[in-house]
Amino acid sequence: MPRKPIPPSEPLPTALQERLETFKKYTVEHAMLIRKDDELTQRIWEPGGFAFLLLSGPTGVGKSELLRVITHRMQTRAQGLTPGDRLPLPVILVETPAPFTYREWYERVLRALDEPFIEEVTYREVGTALNGKKTTSGRGRASTKMLDEAPELRWPVEKALAKRRVLALFFDEAQHLMADGETEDLKRCWDWLKSLSNTTGVLFVLAGPYPLLKFRRVSSQAARRSTDVHFPRYQLNNPEDSTAFQGALLALLKQACQAVSGREAKKTELQLLMDHWPLFYRGCLGCVGVLKDWLIRTASAALRKGDAKLTLERVREQELVEASLADMAADIVSGEQQVALTGGDRSQLNSLLHMESEAAPPETSVGETKPTRARRTSTRPGTRKPKRDPVRDAVEGNSSQT
């Protein structure tokens, strides 16, 4: 039975809002999420010499959800406690502030670790240059230190990370570290991260869209100490991806239908929606995070309109506009091409190593590789070898002449 519509000026009734919140908190365990969960968790337990991990992928693919899932699981894992110690936190999740400042980032880390910190520390600053750097500091000595480095907070952060036995620190929205993307800004940020990693031994996981991959080109040291985990979208031309996407769509539709109607959806209702799964793929570009946000908007609109069930008409009303989808698709394809180029061609490396090809040289037998030793003789060069000359023919010739 249809409900009475709720005007936009009024909030949803508590019962309806709770159903919607339940849907928002739901995490669909689809194939790609499980695969990347396993890959990232393995890196956390054993970094293998890497200090940084770049988790890149399209916007809305599920990177933030992946970080939240791993953080919750590892923080709630039962661990033995030494009397007097605080609960270990193997992983903490911090959203990178924008615009990025060291001070605000340190404060967010301390909050995530549930550690006290000093809100305000007063420094005697004589002047500030136009580029945002201190011109004089303390007793008037010249300084080029950035104003937001907050050295008084770095030591508490290092101490807290060690005390809580942190293995990995997740930077969500890590593209904010890049500022304008200038090489000097990236190098400065890299040097700070490298120093912090050296003193803490924590694996830093930087999660963000494809421009984050610029960090690899800062220096050869950055390339050596960092590794990548690519979180791709589902590809329509891949049969396995197509099947996995439909499974994720079905799971989300069940939750969305229950949020709207307050009951478990019937198979016929779900089938009517699943018959149009290519429409859902097109509207989310194969990204499950975008799909979930789309269905949340749809469920909220259906609750306000008083719909008795989720309909395809309501779904189409909440689809992103064509221009937005086109811009997102262009960025995604460009990023995927960048990932493909960095992982495919090895000719440049072979050239630098003076390797013509990666093929192994043909095997040679022991006899072929063993040098041939010349036989020694007892005579000098040019001297005939002693032997008896044939005389029979010569004697017969002389007798015929006579």
Side-chain angles (χ1 to χ4, degrees), residues 362-383:
E363 295 184 0
T364 56
S365 63
V366 177
E368 293 175 348
T369 59
K370 186 177 180 179
T372 303
R373 187 174 182 178
R375 297 180 63 183
R376 298 181 61 182
T377 61
S378 59
T379 59
R380 295 180 180 179
T383 305

Side-chain angles (χ1 to χ4, degrees), residues 219-238:
S219 66
S220 59
Q221 191 176 30
R224 181 184 70 84
R225 300 195 63 185
S226 63
T227 185
D228 300 344
V229 171
H230 180 216
F231 196 146
R233 64 191 175 113
Y234 286 114
Q235 299 286 345
L236 189 60
N237 56 356
N238 186 321

Side-chain angles (χ1 to χ4, degrees), residues 27-254:
T27 299
V28 54
E29 296 183 355
H30 55 98
M32 191 65 70
L33 181 70
I34 296 173
R35 195 180 310 155
K36 297 306 169 181
D37 188 334
D38 293 342
E39 187 175 353
L40 183 52
T41 303
Q42 174 61 28
R43 291 295 189 185
I44 294 172
W45 290 125
E46 180 48 63
F50 294 118
F52 309 94
L53 187 148
L54 303 179
L55 176 63
S56 61
T59 177
V61 77
K63 300 182 296 296
S64 298
E65 188 67 23
L66 173 63
L67 298 183
R68 284 192 289 268
V69 168
I70 296 178
T71 301
H72 177 73
R73 183 181 66 245
M74 297 193 72
Q75 286 188 355
T76 55
R77 182 185 300 272
Q79 296 187 11
L81 283 177
T82 303
D85 285 354
R86 304 187 67 184
L87 180 68
L89 293 176
V91 172
I92 60 172
L93 172 61
V94 176
E95 183 171 337
T96 310
F100 176 77
T101 63
Y102 298 99
R103 176 179 296 278
E104 186 174 355
W105 184 84
Y106 284 140
E107 292 177 354
R108 292 188 179 190
V109 172
L110 290 171
R111 289 192 188 98
L113 293 169
D114 195 21
E115 292 286 339
F117 61 93
I118 303 174
E119 290 284 355
E120 296 291 340
V121 178
T122 305
Y123 279 95
R124 179 187 171 196
E125 303 297 342
V126 179
T128 304
L130 295 177
N131 59 1
K133 299 180 180 180
K134 293 186 293 185
T135 55
T136 56
S137 174
R139 296 183 178 179
R141 292 183 298 233
S143 173
T144 58
K145 187 179 294 184
M146 300 299 293
L147 285 174
D148 62 351
E149 283 189 3
E152 75 283 356
L153 292 179
R154 173 164 175 163
W155 183 79
V157 166
E158 294 177 355
K159 182 179 179 181
L161 290 173
K163 182 167 60 176
R164 302 302 289 270
R165 288 176 265 174
V166 176
L167 299 177
L169 197 159
F170 293 161
F171 287 68
D172 197 11
E173 304 294 341
Q175 70 274 11
H176 298 159
L177 289 168
M178 301 170 61
D180 296 329
E182 299 293 337
T183 304
E184 188 63 28
D185 293 334
L186 293 176
K187 188 177 185 304
R188 184 185 301 111
C189 187
W190 157 255
D191 290 338
W192 167 70
L193 287 171
K194 180 184 66 174
S195 174
L196 196 59
S197 173
N198 291 339
T199 56
T200 61
V202 173
L203 174 68
F204 291 150
V205 178
L206 280 59
Y210 290 117
L212 193 67
L213 297 177
K214 292 181 181 179
F215 264 114
R216 293 185 305 185
R217 299 194 296 269
V218 171
S219 66
S220 59
Q221 191 176 30
R224 181 184 70 84
R225 300 195 63 185
S226 63
T227 185
D228 300 344
V229 171
H230 180 216
F231 196 146
R233 64 191 175 113
Y234 286 114
Q235 299 286 345
L236 189 60
N237 56 356
N238 186 321
E240 292 184 1
D241 280 8
S242 179
T243 301
F245 174 79
Q246 293 180 59
L249 172 61
L250 179 60
L252 287 172
L253 285 175
K254 288 180 179 179

Side-chain angles (χ1 to χ4, degrees), residues 1-12:
M1 180 178 178
R3 295 183 302 270
K4 184 179 178 180
I6 302 171
S9 58
E10 297 181 8
L12 288 174

